[in-house]
Structure formats: C-alpha cells, structure tokens
Amino acid sequence: MTDAAAESPSPTAEDALHTTLDMPFDDAVPFVQIEHELADFETVRVTRLDQMIEGMLGHDDVERTALIVVCHPEIAFDALEIDPSLAGMLPCTTLVYEREGDDLVHVHHVSATKAIRDLGCAPEDADGAVDELVEKTGELMTVVWENIEEHGQA
C-alpha cells in the first residue's frame, strides 16, 4: 500500500488499478477477459451493466460498461482457509467502460482482498494470513495488468 493510500479514508480505492486501451469497446471486453484467463483466473461472468440498466430501468443514456467477474483458485482457496465467510467478498471484478468525450476504453480494478483487509472482514487473529492473501492477489493481478498494458496498445 502506498503511503498516500495508507492515510486515505479509502485506501483500497486509492490503490485501484486503472489503464486505458486504444481499441473498440467490443474488442476490449473479451481482450481483458482473456488476459485474466491466461493468468489462471476463471471467468465467472461477464455482464454489461449498461444493457442491464436499460433493460430493467429504461435508461438508455448509460455509457457502455462491462463487469468481468473472475476468480483465481489460489485466492479462493486461501480466503476459504482464513474464514469461509470471506468467500462472500469474492470474486474479483474488473470494470471495462467508456467515458463521454473520451476515445479510449478504460479498465479499472479494485482489489477484493484489499477490501477484505481494509474493511476488517477477516477474524482478528487472521491479520498475517490476510496480508499474505493481499500480497498474492497483488502479484497475480500485476501479471494480468502488465499483459493488458503490453498487449492492449495499438
């Protein structure tokens, strides 16, 4: 965690991963999904939030937004070993979205395991194990992020 993030009221959000891709949205979503899968994350679901909101609420003015919900077996196993209730904070989610007036596609990830740590969701005696879980998640997601940034540029 960065010094700024440690002092922030929302350190998990401060440490979030963000990058942009210079490719069409419809190409970016499967590209980001595949980069997760190549790092052994299993795709649980890909959901288009904009389509869900339009279909259920009738709002057709939401920018294209996709949630890529993934889970890594090592992260899941370690979280369950700490406390089965932590599985409710999993899996990991990466957001792919567009912004009005911006030609790039944004990719954003907030760590679920950092949220577990920062929100105090684990049992009090699990601090060391949670820190290890956060570190492992960070290492695995760093591989994904480096590959997204390396292979996602035109």
Side-chain angles (χ1 to χ4, degrees):
M1 180 182 320
T2 64
D3 289 340
E7 297 172 12
S8 168
S10 56
T12 300
E14 294 289 329
D15 279 347
L17 299 171
H18 179 265
T19 193
T20 55
L21 300 174
D22 189 11
M23 66 175 62
F25 179 85
D26 290 331
D27 294 338
V29 173
F31 166 74
V32 171
Q33 176 185 355
I34 289 169
E35 288 297 346
H36 283 78
E37 291 175 356
L38 290 172
D40 295 329
F41 283 83
E42 180 176 329
T43 299
V44 176
R45 181 152 180 110
V46 177
T47 299
R48 287 284 302 274
L49 287 182
D50 56 308
Q51 293 174 349
M52 185 255 314
I53 291 168
E54 181 177 5
M56 297 182 80
L57 301 177
H59 297 287
D60 62 358
D61 57 347
V62 176
E63 297 287 339
R64 291 192 293 182
T65 305
L67 292 178
I68 301 171
V69 182
V70 296
C71 196
H72 194 283
E74 291 179 42
I75 296 168
F77 178 80
D78 290 351
L80 288 170
E81 287 287 302
I82 294 168
D83 188 309
S85 68
L86 296 182
M89 295 290 291
L90 300 176
C92 300
T93 303
T94 297
L95 182 67
V96 180
Y97 60 96
E98 295 178 318
R99 286 189 169 159
E100 187 176 337
D102 186 344
D103 292 338
L104 300 173
V105 175
H106 295 259
V107 185
H108 196 91
H109 173 79
V110 176
S111 172
T113 59
K114 286 181 183 178
I116 288 170
R117 177 197 63 204
D118 296 347
L119 295 172
C121 296
E124 287 183 25
D125 62 348
D127 283 345
V130 172
D131 290 338
E132 290 174 14
L133 179 63
V134 169
E135 184 176 336
K136 180 184 286 183
T137 305
E139 290 169 1
L140 293 166
M141 196 54 75
T142 295
V143 170
V144 173
W145 224 254
E146 288 173 352
N147 288 333
I148 288 171
E149 290 181 332
E150 179 181 345
H151 303 127
Q153 304 311 315

